[in-house]
Amino acid sequence: MTQINNPVVGPRVIVALDFDDMACLERLVSQLSPLACRVKVGKELFTRFGPAVVEKLQKQGFEVFLDLKFHDIPNTTAQAVRAAAAMGVWMVNVHASGGRRMMETCRERLTGLSNPPLLIAVTALTSLSQADLAEIGWDLSPVACVQRLAALAADSGMDGVVCSAQEAAALRSQHGESFSLVTPGIRPATAARDDQVRIVTPRDAMEAGSSYLVVGRPITQADQPAEALARINEEIKEWLPELDSNQRPND
Ligand code: C5P
C-alpha cells in the first residue's frame, strides 16, 4: 500500500476539547488561536453536539482532529471515515486492532478525494499499563504491542499512528519522516499526571520524533489556557520554524 506524504506544517499542539458543556468550550476556544494550535473533538463532545460543533470550530479557523477511534467491520468503518472526510476534518482515526482489511478499506474509500483527512491508527491507549494489556489478552509489552500495530497500520496505508511519546523514537526510525506520530499523554514537567500512565514532556516528545502533541487538561484546565499553550509552544519552538517569534500567537 502506498503511503501518503505528510510534511508537518503549522501548529504541533492539538488541544483535546474534552468538554460536555458548550459554554465551557466556547470560553476556552475564544482564548485560543488557530495559528497556535489545532483542536481535537472526541467522543464526549461529538456525542453531545454532533457535526455542528466541528463546523463551528472550522468556521473559527481551527483544523479539527475528529478523534472517534472508529472500530468496526471494514465497510462500516470506511463509511464512517468517508463521512468524516465529507465534514472537512483535518485528521480522523481508527483502531489498528480493527485489522488490515478494515484499514485498507478506509484508505481505499478516501482515494480520489481532493483534500482527504490524515488517516491515523490508534495503537495502544496510553492509559494502559502492561498489566492492563495482559488482562485483555495482549500478552506483549506496551512497546512491542505498539510496534506491531504501527507496522500493520503503515503496511495498511495509514498516514500515521497515535502512540505514547515513549515509543516515538523507535517508530520514527522504523517508519521514516512522512509517517505521522500523534502523541497524547503529554505533561509539562509542572503539570498534574491525571490518569495518564506513560507520560512525556512536550520537548522530550518532539525530540523523540513526535509529529503532533495531543494536550488536554494541562491547557483546558489551566487558569490561563492561552499562556499554558504559549509555554508549550515556546518549549518546542525549534519545531515551529514557520511561526516567526514576533508573530507567534498567544505569547
Ligand atoms: O487531558 P489529557 O492531556 O490527558 O488528554 C489526552 C487526550 O488524548 C484525551 O482526549 C484522550 O482521549 C486522548 N488519547 C489518549 N491516549 C490515546 C489516544 C487518545 O489519551 N492512546
Side-chain angles (χ1 to χ4, degrees):
M1 271 265 169
T2 329
Q3 218 163 277
I4 314 285
N5 278 344
N6 304 305
V8 178
V9 284
R12 302 289 194 132
V13 174
I14 304 172
V15 179
L17 302 177
D18 295 323
F19 290 102
D20 64 357
D21 180 274
M22 187 52 83
C24 290
L25 173 75
E26 284 172 349
R27 199 172 321 121
L28 187 264
V29 169
S30 70
Q31 297 174 65
L32 303 177
S33 161
L35 296 175
C37 64
R38 291 167 158 120
V39 293
K40 179 170 90 68
V41 171
K43 291 186 168 99
E44 183 177 22
L45 196 59
F46 193 79
T47 303
R48 237 167 225 277
F49 300 108
V53 74
V54 172
E55 203 179 320
K56 190 180 173 83
L57 291 162
Q58 288 169 328
K59 279 196 178 137
Q60 293 175 70
F62 290 98
E63 290 194 296
V64 175
F65 168 20
L66 188 64
D67 178 25
L68 297 182
K69 301 184 177 74
F70 296 130
H71 190 177
D72 211 309
I73 59 170
N75 182 59
T76 304
T77 309
Q79 286 303 98
V81 163
R82 236 192 117 91
M87 289 165 57
V89 302
W90 161 74
M91 178 182 281
V92 65
N93 60 0
V94 301
H95 271 284
S97 54
R100 176 187 297 278
R101 267 195 310 120
M102 189 199 83
M103 289 188 279
E104 286 182 349
T105 310
C106 291
R107 168 53 68 212
E108 282 158 22
R109 232 37 89 78
L110 292 182
T111 304
L113 298 186
S114 60
N115 195 16
L118 291 174
L119 184 53
I120 301 294
V122 174
T123 54
L125 297 173
T126 47
S127 55
L128 296 175
S129 65
Q130 180 146 6
D132 295 325
L133 291 174
E135 206 167 29
I136 57 169
W138 294 11
D139 289 323
L140 292 171
S141 69
V143 178
C145 180
V146 168
Q147 287 183 350
R148 185 169 175 158
L149 288 168
L152 179 63
D155 205 43
S156 306
M158 300 295 99
D159 292 312
V161 290
V162 181
C163 62
S164 159
Q166 288 176 353
E167 288 110 24
L171 294 180
R172 180 56 68 218
S173 66
Q174 280 159 14
H175 297 288
E177 287 305 313
S178 66
F179 197 63
S180 290
L181 300 179
V182 181
T183 57
I186 302 296
R187 288 292 178 274
T190 53
R193 167 184 275 260
D194 303 309
D195 55 353
Q196 296 286 6
V197 175
R198 290 177 278 145
I199 54 172
V200 176
T201 66
R203 188 180 173 82
D204 287 348
M206 295 309 296
E207 278 179 346
S210 291
S211 312
Y212 303 103
L213 310 179
V214 176
V215 187
R217 289 161 287 183
I219 293 172
T220 60
Q221 305 301 315
D223 290 337
Q224 305 289 341
E227 283 174 24
L229 172 59
R231 275 196 297 275
I232 294 173
N233 277 335
E234 182 62 27
E235 191 178 325
I236 61 167
K237 66 182 172 195
E238 67 203 74
W239 290 275
L240 300 170
E242 69 274 20
L243 295 184
D244 178 84
S245 58
N246 297 322
Q247 296 175 329
R248 197 171 294 124
N250 293 339
D251 272 355

